[in-house]
Amino acid sequence: VPAAWQRPYLNIFKHFRVEEWKRSAKEGDVAALTDTRLKGTIYRIRGSNPASSYLQLPRAGTQSLGLTGRYLYLLFRPLPHKHFLVHLDVTTEDNQVVRISFSNLFKEFKSTATWLQFPFVCGAASEGTARRGATGAAPADVRWTCLVLDLPSILGLYLNRRYSHLRGVKLCSNLLVKNLCTSDLLFEPGVTLSEARLSDLSSRGVAPMPRELAFPVPKGEKWHDLYDYIRFPSEGSKLPHDCIRKSFPTPVAVLEEPGRPLTQPVTLSRAVCDRLSLIHQITSPKAVSAPW
């Protein structure tokens, strides 16, 4: 269970004051930029090859972040026509350090006792391409993405190890990053607090995305029409997948199965988000305003 200072979530960039570069490190072409669409600071990491530029937390490899939340959230966008690489160092309950890496450079899944390498299929790839598991340079229209990694499940599925904590993160070129977060809660984008209450999502461990971690949605727009949401491993899958990609079709939603046992958090489909929005409009005489 996360310590009190890590609940209900921990905004990693804010907590470790990334912009001061005292508890974080950067190498190569790493720049803080103001993004008018996302209404805040983002970090651009670019270089001639993915390992040449990076943002690293904590600053020294001998230190540990010590973050125990089940889910790691990465809000990022691969740079178009480029390859990117991300390394996560996690510690097991028996103090073994395991590196989890994902990249659109990787052609296939590889595994050792201390290293898991997952190919990443950019969400803008076509449904057919994603199903075939084709990786490669990010397409021109690649979207901002909310990637949710279930770290205990990854270690359990692929290495049969028990998760202890997140030790370190290394974000390598070429990508844009808005934020990193850890939490034991499964945050669902595009759902407001009132919609979550109406659907009693909290009983299933699902919560609306915190404002400071959310992508903005202009009034009249829908989150899933603007951004990609990838949860890995995908909820309900029986066998481990060999790459990280947007799910096709979208996962079965909670409202479709009211009697479903509450053994595992769930992901809402776009259709259910639309239904939640409709429910909220019916129960409120006023038009629903955009949550951000």
Side-chain angles (χ1 to χ4, degrees):
V1 177
W5 61 278
Q6 297 185 32
R7 294 196 300 260
Y9 63 88
L10 185 82
N11 182 333
I12 296 176
F13 279 6
K14 182 178 180 180
H15 181 82
F16 292 96
R17 298 178 181 174
V18 167
E19 74 282 356
E20 296 180 5
W21 306 111
K22 292 179 180 177
R23 293 196 281 176
S24 58
K26 61 177 178 176
E27 181 68 37
D29 188 353
V30 179
L33 309 171
T34 299
D35 188 293
T36 53
R37 179 187 169 191
L38 297 189
K39 303 174 182 177
T41 300
I42 63 171
Y43 292 89
R44 184 189 64 201
I45 307 164
R46 62 182 182 181
S48 55
N49 66 72
S52 63
S53 299
Y54 59 82
L55 187 162
Q56 177 177 293
L57 280 155
R59 183 177 184 86
T62 55
Q63 299 172 320
S64 174
L65 295 175
L67 302 179
T68 56
R70 171 178 178 176
Y71 299 105
L72 174 70
Y73 294 81
L74 174 61
L75 280 61
F76 78 114
R77 179 177 183 247
L79 289 179
H81 312 299
K82 301 288 186 181
H83 293 92
F84 75 92
L85 173 65
V86 173
H87 296 302
L88 307 171
D89 290 332
V90 301
T91 302
T92 66
E93 284 191 352
D94 55 356
N95 288 320
Q96 173 70 58
V97 177
V98 175
R99 171 159 283 192
I100 300 170
S101 301
F102 58 93
S103 172
N104 55 349
L105 266 175
F106 299 154
K107 301 298 183 185
E108 60 185 16
F109 169 71
K110 292 184 179 180
S111 170
T112 71
T114 58
W115 199 355
L116 298 172
Q117 298 180 26
F118 295 99
F120 186 96
V121 178
C122 291
S126 69
E127 178 174 341
T129 300
R131 276 184 172 149
R132 290 193 300 272
T135 57
D141 57 349
V142 63
R143 292 175 168 186
W144 277 95
T145 297
C146 175
L147 174 63
V148 188
L149 297 176
D150 185 340
L151 299 175
S153 291
I154 292 173
L155 282 185
L157 279 171
Y158 295 93
L159 292 177
N160 198 26
R161 307 295 281 270
R162 294 182 65 87
Y163 177 71
S164 173
H165 60 272
L166 177 65
R167 178 181 173 85
V169 177
K170 193 172 185 178
L171 307 170
C172 305
S173 55
N174 291 279
L175 46 79
L176 304 172
V177 183
K178 183 178 187 290
N179 218 330
L180 275 169
C181 162
T182 56
S183 179
D184 269 348
L185 295 174
L186 183 63
F187 295 127
E188 175 64 35
V191 176
T192 65
L193 188 59
S194 56
E195 290 164 357
R197 288 195 186 112
L198 281 168
S199 303
D200 193 26
L201 296 184
S202 61
S203 66
R204 298 178 181 269
V206 180
M209 188 72 74
R211 186 182 297 267
E212 65 181 296
L213 302 174
F215 292 134
V217 179
K219 193 169 184 176
E221 299 276 2
K222 296 176 181 176
W223 194 98
H224 290 279
D225 291 337
L226 302 173
Y227 310 108
D228 282 337
Y229 181 83
I230 301 175
R231 182 176 164 196
F232 185 82
S234 60
E235 191 269 330
S237 60
K238 300 296 183 184
L239 297 173
H241 291 297
D242 59 0
C243 67
I244 300 175
R245 63 186 184 222
K246 188 175 180 181
S247 297
F248 294 101
T250 50
V252 176
V254 293
L255 296 188
E256 305 297 338
E257 298 184 72
R260 182 177 178 168
L262 308 183
T263 56
Q264 199 173 9
V266 294
T267 302
L268 302 185
S269 68
R270 186 186 307 183
V272 169
C273 290
D274 292 344
R275 285 171 62 183
L276 285 170
S277 181
L278 181 61
I279 290 170
H280 185 56
Q281 292 178 50
I282 292 172
T283 54
S284 173
K286 297 181 180 179
V288 183
S289 59
W292 298 282

